[in-house]
Amino acid sequence: MTSDEKRKLRSEYQEQLDECEKKADELRKEIERLNSELNCSFCGQDLEDGTLFCPSCGRRVIKEVDPLAVEGVCPQCGAKMDENAKFCIKCGYQVVSSAEQEAAAAPSAESAPPVQMHAPRFCPTCGTQLDDDAVFCFNCGLKL
Protein backbone atom coordinates (compact mmCIF):
# COMPACT_ATOMS: atom_id res chain seq x y z
CA MET A 1 0.00 0.00 0.00
CA THR A 2 1.38 3.39 -0.96
CA SER A 3 1.65 6.31 1.43
CA ASP A 4 -1.10 8.17 -0.48
CA GLU A 5 -3.41 5.18 -0.11
CA LYS A 6 -2.65 5.00 3.60
CA ARG A 7 -3.36 8.73 4.03
CA LYS A 8 -6.64 8.39 2.17
CA LEU A 9 -7.62 5.36 4.24
CA ARG A 10 -6.71 7.14 7.50
CA SER A 11 -8.77 10.13 6.40
CA GLU A 12 -11.77 7.90 5.66
CA TYR A 13 -11.41 6.16 9.03
CA GLN A 14 -11.16 9.51 10.81
CA GLU A 15 -14.34 10.70 9.08
CA GLN A 16 -16.13 7.52 10.16
CA LEU A 17 -14.89 7.99 13.73
CA ASP A 18 -16.03 11.63 13.74
CA GLU A 19 -19.49 10.55 12.53
CA CYS A 20 -19.66 7.86 15.24
CA GLU A 21 -18.63 10.35 17.94
CA LYS A 22 -21.26 12.82 16.74
CA LYS A 23 -23.92 10.09 16.82
CA ALA A 24 -22.73 9.00 20.30
CA ASP A 25 -23.06 12.60 21.56
CA GLU A 26 -26.59 12.79 20.14
CA LEU A 27 -27.50 9.51 21.83
CA ARG A 28 -26.04 10.70 25.18
CA LYS A 29 -28.15 13.87 24.98
CA GLU A 30 -31.26 11.79 24.23
CA ILE A 31 -30.52 9.52 27.20
CA GLU A 32 -30.16 12.58 29.46
CA ARG A 33 -33.49 13.93 28.17
CA LEU A 34 -35.22 10.59 28.76
CA ASN A 35 -33.73 10.29 32.25
CA SER A 36 -35.00 13.75 33.15
CA GLU A 37 -38.58 12.92 32.17
CA LEU A 38 -40.92 11.94 34.97
CA ASN A 39 -43.51 9.19 34.48
CA CYS A 40 -46.12 7.72 36.82
CA SER A 41 -44.70 4.47 38.21
CA PHE A 42 -48.19 2.93 38.18
CA CYS A 43 -49.73 3.84 34.79
CA GLY A 44 -46.74 5.30 32.88
CA GLN A 45 -48.37 8.72 32.25
CA ASP A 46 -45.88 11.48 31.37
CA LEU A 47 -45.70 13.99 34.24
CA GLU A 48 -44.37 17.50 34.60
CA ASP A 49 -41.69 18.19 37.18
CA GLY A 50 -43.23 19.03 40.55
CA THR A 51 -46.39 16.96 39.97
CA LEU A 52 -47.60 15.40 43.23
CA PHE A 53 -50.48 13.28 41.86
CA CYS A 54 -50.84 11.56 38.49
CA PRO A 55 -53.56 13.28 36.42
CA SER A 56 -54.39 9.95 34.77
CA CYS A 57 -54.71 7.46 37.65
CA GLY A 58 -54.65 9.82 40.67
CA ARG A 59 -51.87 8.02 42.50
CA ARG A 60 -49.30 9.95 44.49
CA VAL A 61 -46.07 10.49 42.56
CA ILE A 62 -43.10 8.93 44.34
CA LYS A 63 -39.72 9.98 43.04
CA GLU A 64 -37.04 7.35 43.27
CA VAL A 65 -34.15 8.71 45.28
CA ASP A 66 -30.94 6.96 46.27
CA PRO A 67 -30.66 7.85 49.98
CA LEU A 68 -26.92 7.23 49.95
CA ALA A 69 -26.40 9.61 47.03
CA VAL A 70 -28.58 12.48 48.25
CA GLU A 71 -28.24 13.67 51.82
CA GLY A 72 -31.02 15.79 53.26
CA VAL A 73 -33.66 14.12 51.08
CA CYS A 74 -36.25 11.60 52.23
CA PRO A 75 -35.60 8.27 50.47
CA GLN A 76 -39.33 7.50 50.55
CA CYS A 77 -40.93 10.63 49.06
CA GLY A 78 -38.01 12.85 47.98
CA ALA A 79 -38.90 15.73 50.32
CA LYS A 80 -36.13 17.91 51.75
CA MET A 81 -35.17 16.94 55.29
CA ASP A 82 -33.12 18.44 58.09
CA GLU A 83 -29.86 16.51 58.45
CA ASN A 84 -30.69 15.55 62.06
CA ALA A 85 -34.30 14.53 61.39
CA LYS A 86 -35.31 11.02 62.39
CA PHE A 87 -38.65 11.18 60.54
CA CYS A 88 -39.75 12.84 57.31
CA ILE A 89 -42.30 15.58 58.02
CA LYS A 90 -44.03 14.95 54.66
CA CYS A 91 -44.55 11.17 54.66
CA GLY A 92 -43.47 10.02 58.14
CA TYR A 93 -40.68 7.78 56.85
CA GLN A 94 -38.31 6.82 59.66
CA VAL A 95 -34.76 7.68 58.66
CA VAL A 96 -32.22 5.20 59.93
CA SER A 97 -28.52 6.07 59.94
CA SER A 98 -25.95 3.42 59.02
CA ALA A 99 -24.88 3.24 62.70
CA GLU A 100 -28.51 2.67 63.72
CA GLN A 101 -28.88 0.00 61.01
CA GLU A 102 -25.85 -1.85 62.36
CA ALA A 103 -27.16 -1.59 65.92
CA ALA A 104 -30.56 -2.85 64.81
CA ALA A 105 -28.97 -5.82 63.06
CA ALA A 106 -27.35 -6.93 66.33
CA PRO A 107 -29.89 -8.72 68.57
CA SER A 108 -30.57 -6.95 71.83
CA ALA A 109 -32.89 -7.83 74.71
CA GLU A 110 -33.44 -4.12 75.37
CA SER A 111 -34.59 -3.24 71.87
CA ALA A 112 -38.24 -2.32 71.70
CA PRO A 113 -40.41 -2.90 68.64
CA PRO A 114 -40.90 0.17 66.45
CA VAL A 115 -43.82 2.36 67.44
CA GLN A 116 -46.32 3.28 64.76
CA MET A 117 -47.02 7.00 65.00
CA HIS A 118 -50.55 6.86 63.58
CA ALA A 119 -53.13 4.39 62.37
CA PRO A 120 -53.33 3.85 58.62
CA ARG A 121 -56.23 5.40 56.71
CA PHE A 122 -58.60 3.35 54.58
CA CYS A 123 -61.17 4.35 51.97
CA PRO A 124 -64.67 4.01 53.47
CA THR A 125 -66.05 2.85 50.11
CA CYS A 126 -63.57 0.27 48.81
CA GLY A 127 -61.26 -0.32 51.81
CA THR A 128 -58.02 0.60 50.02
CA GLN A 129 -55.23 1.83 52.33
CA LEU A 130 -54.61 5.52 51.67
CA ASP A 131 -51.67 7.89 51.93
CA ASP A 132 -51.94 10.21 54.94
CA ASP A 133 -52.36 13.28 52.75
CA ALA A 134 -54.69 11.66 50.19
CA VAL A 135 -57.59 13.83 49.09
CA PHE A 136 -59.04 11.19 46.75
CA CYS A 137 -58.97 7.39 46.92
CA PHE A 138 -56.57 6.30 44.15
CA ASN A 139 -58.56 3.07 43.69
CA CYS A 140 -62.20 4.18 43.46
CA GLY A 141 -61.82 7.97 43.17
CA LEU A 142 -63.93 8.83 46.25
CA LYS A 143 -63.31 12.37 47.50
CA LEU A 144 -62.23 12.05 51.14
Side-chain angles (χ1 to χ4, degrees), residues 38 47-54 58-63 77 131 133:
L38 182 62
L47 304 171
E48 294 180 19
D49 193 28
T51 302
L52 297 178
F53 293 90
C54 175
R59 291 195 185 220
R60 182 180 176 89
V61 175
I62 304 292
K63 293 183 180 178
C77 70
D131 291 338
D133 56 352

Side-chain angles (χ1 to χ4, degrees), residues 4-19:
D4 286 340
E5 291 173 329
K6 287 180 183 180
R7 254 182 284 180
K8 184 178 179 182
L9 194 55
R10 271 191 293 240
S11 177
E12 288 176 15
Y13 288 163
Q14 187 62 49
E15 286 178 21
Q16 290 176 5
L17 278 173
D18 291 343
E19 287 176 25

Side-chain angles (χ1 to χ4, degrees), residues 53 58 60 121 129-138 142-144:
F53 293 90
R60 182 180 176 89
R121 290 177 55 203
Q129 186 170 348
L130 305 167
D131 291 338
D132 291 336
D133 56 352
V135 179
F136 292 92
C137 174
F138 65 81
L142 177 73
K143 184 172 181 170
L144 304 170

Side-chain angles (χ1 to χ4, degrees), residues 13 16 26 36 40 45 55 58 66 70 73 76 78-79 101 107 109-110 119 123 126 131 136:
Y13 288 163
Q16 290 176 5
E26 290 172 4
S36 69
C40 175
Q45 171 75 36
D66 180 357
V70 183
V73 174
Q76 180 72 28
Q101 286 176 348
E110 298 175 12
C123 175
C126 70
D131 291 338
F136 292 92

Side-chain angles (χ1 to χ4, degrees), residues 24-97:
D25 287 340
E26 290 172 4
L27 291 173
R28 282 187 197 95
K29 288 177 184 176
E30 181 64 13
I31 289 171
E32 285 179 29
R33 185 188 67 76
L34 290 172
N35 286 341
S36 69
E37 288 182 359
L38 182 62
N39 294 349
C40 175
S41 59
F42 182 73
C43 72
Q45 171 75 36
D46 289 337
L47 304 171
E48 294 180 19
D49 193 28
T51 302
L52 297 178
F53 293 90
C54 175
S56 180
C57 69
R59 291 195 185 220
R60 182 180 176 89
V61 175
I62 304 292
K63 293 183 180 178
E64 294 181 18
V65 176
D66 180 357
L68 300 175
V70 183
E71 292 184 24
V73 174
C74 175
Q76 180 72 28
C77 70
K80 290 183 181 178
M81 293 182 60
D82 182 80
E83 63 185 46
N84 297 321
K86 296 195 184 246
F87 293 89
C88 174
I89 62 171
K90 295 286 185 184
C91 71
Y93 180 81
Q94 183 176 6
V95 179
V96 181
S97 70

